[in-house]
Amino acid sequence: MTKLIPPFTEETARAKVQAAEDAWNSRDPERVSLAYSENSEWRNRDTFLKGREEIRAFLADKWSKELDYKLRKEYWAHTDNRIAVRFEYESRDADGNWKRSYGNEMWEFDADGLMRRRYASINDLSISENDRRL
């Protein structure tokens, strides 16, 4: 298998997006956090994180509240060490209220293929269980 490190081709960028989707759908904070550099910077809505440990804790908290989480990521574009992604995910809260979240992510990678920056803009929409599509 081709290593998913910069410089990216369209093929390796798309594979990197699929690998991220697969990892996030595992809902395993440890597994997901290992894709980020030790000093990775994040913006997720109005939350700013620095470092793998903060990312791991954020994801553990996220998935304790966002139940039945299911995500789809879509490759948008890439350069040598950056990938742009469109995504949407659905989840419900403990009271059974469903939402769909849409957004865009800008990713920047180090030479080892670890994400050193992730900037996510996300919007949420309340949906009924019957409106789910993921």
Side-chain angles (χ1 to χ4, degrees):
M1 172 163 188
T2 304
K3 289 192 77 163
L4 303 178
I5 59 174
F8 295 116
T9 63
E10 183 173 340
E11 178 185 6
T12 59
R14 286 181 182 277
K16 193 77 158 171
V17 171
Q18 186 61 59
E21 178 182 304
D22 294 345
W24 279 69
N25 279 324
S26 76
R27 297 184 301 255
D28 178 347
E30 177 68 26
R31 175 182 172 189
V32 174
S33 70
L34 293 176
Y36 300 93
S37 66
E38 287 290 338
N39 61 351
S40 186
E41 296 175 14
W42 269 34
R43 181 179 64 78
N44 194 87
R45 293 186 173 89
D46 61 352
T47 301
F48 294 82
L49 304 170
K50 177 91 172 165
R52 191 180 285 164
E53 291 305 316
E54 285 185 18
I55 292 166
R56 185 179 298 120
F58 173 86
L59 293 172
D61 183 61
K62 170 186 179 65
W63 289 320
S64 73
K65 297 173 188 168
E66 293 180 354
L67 309 175
D68 296 321
Y69 177 95
K70 183 69 174 172
L71 167 76
R72 292 284 184 255
K73 290 187 182 282
E74 179 184 343
Y75 165 86
W76 193 264
H78 77 280
T79 63
D80 285 348
N81 72 331
R82 294 180 176 164
I83 301 174
V85 175
R86 179 204 164 282
F87 68 90
E88 66 181 70
Y89 68 86
E90 294 175 349
S91 63
R92 67 173 175 84
D93 64 20
D95 294 326
N97 300 307
W98 284 91
K99 72 175 179 179
R100 183 176 303 122
S101 300
Y102 302 90
N104 300 299
E105 294 175 312
M106 307 306 285
W107 300 343
E108 183 178 273
F109 296 88
D110 66 17
D112 295 321
L114 296 174
M115 196 179 301
R116 64 178 166 207
R117 291 193 185 101
R118 174 189 175 263
Y119 300 116
S121 297
I122 306 168
N123 299 299
D124 300 312
L125 174 68
S126 294
I127 60 172
S128 72
E129 187 169 5
N130 292 336
D131 289 332
R132 293 179 57 217
R133 60 181 182 218
L134 299 179

